[in-house]
Amino acid sequence: MTTIENARELKGKRALVTGGSRGIGAAIVRQLLDAGAEVLTTARSVGPVPEGAAFVQADVRTRAGVAAIAEAAMQVDILVHNAGGAQPFEGTAAIPDEEWQEALDLNYLSSVRLDALLAPGMRERGEGVIVHISSAAVLTPMAPFLHYTAAKAALENYSRGLALELAPFGIRVNTVSPGRVTTPGGVQTREQWARVDPTPGANATTPLGRDGRPEDIANAVAFLVSDRAGWLTGSNLIVDAGEFPRS
Ligand code: NDP
């Protein structure tokens, strides 16, 4: 496929990208718009979103928020659930019970709930693509983040199972696991991490010598939602410059 054909390869597709007001989500929105898709994005706060995208304000941690997003999205061909994040603590014992629940709601159950509302439409139409954003940190669970990595690990396991369930209906489901990416959320998390953990983990570098850019992750997502990835489902694409150990 030439670059010019590539540029419009999602023409006529309707996409939902959660958490598209900044960081990785905004880069995904821009790439899908550039590829010709019609894009709806979401965030809790009303602020600038990439030009050309429609917007709905909602909190994905709540069932009501997820329902509002699904109602606005209606029939989508592409679902990229990107909204998520982590707040580090000094260690496992310091993670309050409500933070475990919040991490599960934000980083795992929001996907289950959103898919439950939007996948039936994809099944009826006999096609659809779902991408969940996980984290390469799942490969090395660390004490300040166990609530977050456990929730993302559940997301990966669930995504694999959902991929097998939906494959006969022409729906592909994959996860993308970013490493350390320079985004407002990523930078804030690593600053908090450095304060609660004296080891150099927060400030380590990657084998390729630089942190990721949001576009590095968006490139992977744009590929996964395209027909070029038509034989790819049930996979977890780790985009981390080789930093985290593979099993
Ligand atoms: P940012 O914090 O920079 O952006 C997060 C986006 O999601 C914003 O648009 C934010 O808007 C929205 N969002 C956050 N919480 C909610 C919520 N409860 N309901 C609705 N929208 C919400 O994050 P990143 O771009 O860094 O991260 C994107 C994804 O990538 C996340 O799933 C994260 O876990 C994952 N990831 C990121 C890494 C990194 O280094 N950056 C590394 C590994 C994984 P608002 O605050 O207004 O709601």
Side-chain angles (χ1 to χ4, degrees):
M1 186 180 281
T2 68
T3 310
I4 291 167
E5 285 166 340
N6 222 353
R8 304 304 290 173
E9 66 182 338
L10 299 181
K11 195 167 179 344
K13 301 286 186 192
R14 292 166 53 100
L16 166 65
V17 180
T18 63
S21 63
R22 58 174 189 261
I24 292 169
I28 296 170
V29 170
R30 282 192 293 271
Q31 288 229 5
L32 301 197
L33 286 169
D34 286 350
E38 201 179 300
V39 182
L40 171 70
T41 193
T42 80
R44 282 167 304 177
S45 29
V46 180
V49 293
E51 196 181 332
F55 176 77
V56 59
Q57 181 184 16
D59 187 337
V60 300
R61 292 171 299 185
T62 67
R63 287 185 182 79
V66 169
I69 293 169
E71 194 182 331
M74 294 203 302
Q75 308 269 303
V76 285
D77 309 293
I78 296 167
L79 163 56
V80 182
H81 187 28
N82 157 80
Q87 193 199 336
F89 290 86
E90 275 174 37
T92 310
I95 303 173
D97 187 66
E98 57 271 20
E99 289 291 339
W100 284 93
Q101 187 59 56
E102 167 146 344
L104 284 171
D105 283 330
L106 177 58
N107 293 294
Y108 169 46
L109 292 172
S110 58
S111 291
V112 175
R113 293 168 181 152
L114 201 51
D115 296 343
L117 293 173
L118 292 175
M122 293 178 174
R123 273 179 70 148
E124 271 171 30
R125 295 191 303 283
E127 61 177 350
V129 190
I130 298 173
V131 176
H132 297 135
I133 305 299
S134 183
S135 170
V138 169
L139 294 163
T140 308
M142 285 174 277
F145 295 103
L146 289 190
H147 54 326
Y148 170 73
T149 49
K152 292 286 198 188
L155 174 66
E156 290 176 17
N157 185 269
Y158 153 78
S159 299
R160 164 92 182 132
L162 190 71
L164 299 178
E165 183 184 353
L166 297 182
F169 303 97
I171 302 167
R172 298 187 294 105
V173 184
N174 293 288
T175 51
V176 170
S177 290
R180 57 183 78 225
V181 182
T182 304
T183 64
V187 168
Q188 187 186 40
T189 299
R190 282 185 281 283
E191 283 172 1
Q192 290 169 342
W193 180 10
R195 283 199 289 274
V196 298
D197 179 1
T199 65
N203 298 312
T205 189
T206 72
L208 286 178
R210 68 166 174 87
D211 286 0
R213 304 178 188 108
E215 293 71 27
D216 292 318
I217 309 305
N219 287 336
V221 173
F223 164 66
L224 281 176
V225 303
S226 76
D227 287 345
R228 287 175 287 147
W231 206 56
L232 234 165
T233 198
S235 291
N236 178 28
L237 190 48
I238 301 163
V239 188
D240 70 339
E243 179 181 0
F244 288 83
R246 275 52 167 172
S247 52

